[in-house]
Amino acid sequence: MEGLGKSICMDEMIPEKNGLIDEGLRVLLLEDSEEDAELIRYALQAAIPRLEFKRVDSRDEFERELRDFSPDVILADYVVPGFGGRSALEIVRGCDPNVPFIFVSGALGEELAVELLRMGATDYILKDRMSRLPAAISRSLEKVREKRLLAVRTAELEERVRLALWRMDSWLAPLIVEESA
């Protein structure tokens, strides 16, 4: 994603959380319909007590809120005049491949949905199945938490292996010198 720079990327897109949405959540929604945005907000408010919700409908607004609002989750309609969900997904994946990105769309064919998931979307929800959105967000946050935990454990294991190799090398070095003498 050349040309994007760090100006639109958040410093840390998802704060450390235990994966539960009952702690509050910052949701950025790319949606051109105010009515649909209100339906989405309504679906989330019952499940998320401390919901912070921002709706945008242009690329400039999206990039600004991505940087300034630092959302925990991004929801996007696939079709938004002038700037759609696919472009938003590309921008977000250029900044942070781990932030949950869920398409919320009126109609998304199976082939397109699979393509978007391969591009890095976390999930997709049809607008007529809005009751599934809180669970999809919760699953997405849990996946991110698991990825972070795996990354920490992998780094710890790599450090242990490096230390063990260093110790082994320092123990074997005198033996190798003695054999060559």
Side-chain angles (χ1 to χ4, degrees), residues 144-154 156:
V144 168
R145 188 189 69 74
E146 288 172 1
K147 274 183 166 179
R148 285 185 171 181
L149 185 57
L150 180 61
V152 166
R153 288 185 176 161
T154 300
E156 289 171 351

Side-chain angles (χ1 to χ4, degrees), residues 109 114 125 152:
V114 169
I125 300 292
V152 166

Side-chain angles (χ1 to χ4, degrees), residues 14-20 23 98 100 137-153:
I14 303 173
E16 287 302 317
K17 293 188 176 194
N18 65 9
L20 301 174
E23 293 182 3
N98 295 316
I137 290 173
S138 185
R139 281 191 309 272
S140 297
L141 291 170
E142 183 61 23
K143 284 180 188 177
V144 168
R145 188 189 69 74
E146 288 172 1
K147 274 183 166 179
R148 285 185 171 181
L149 185 57
L150 180 61
V152 166
R153 288 185 176 161

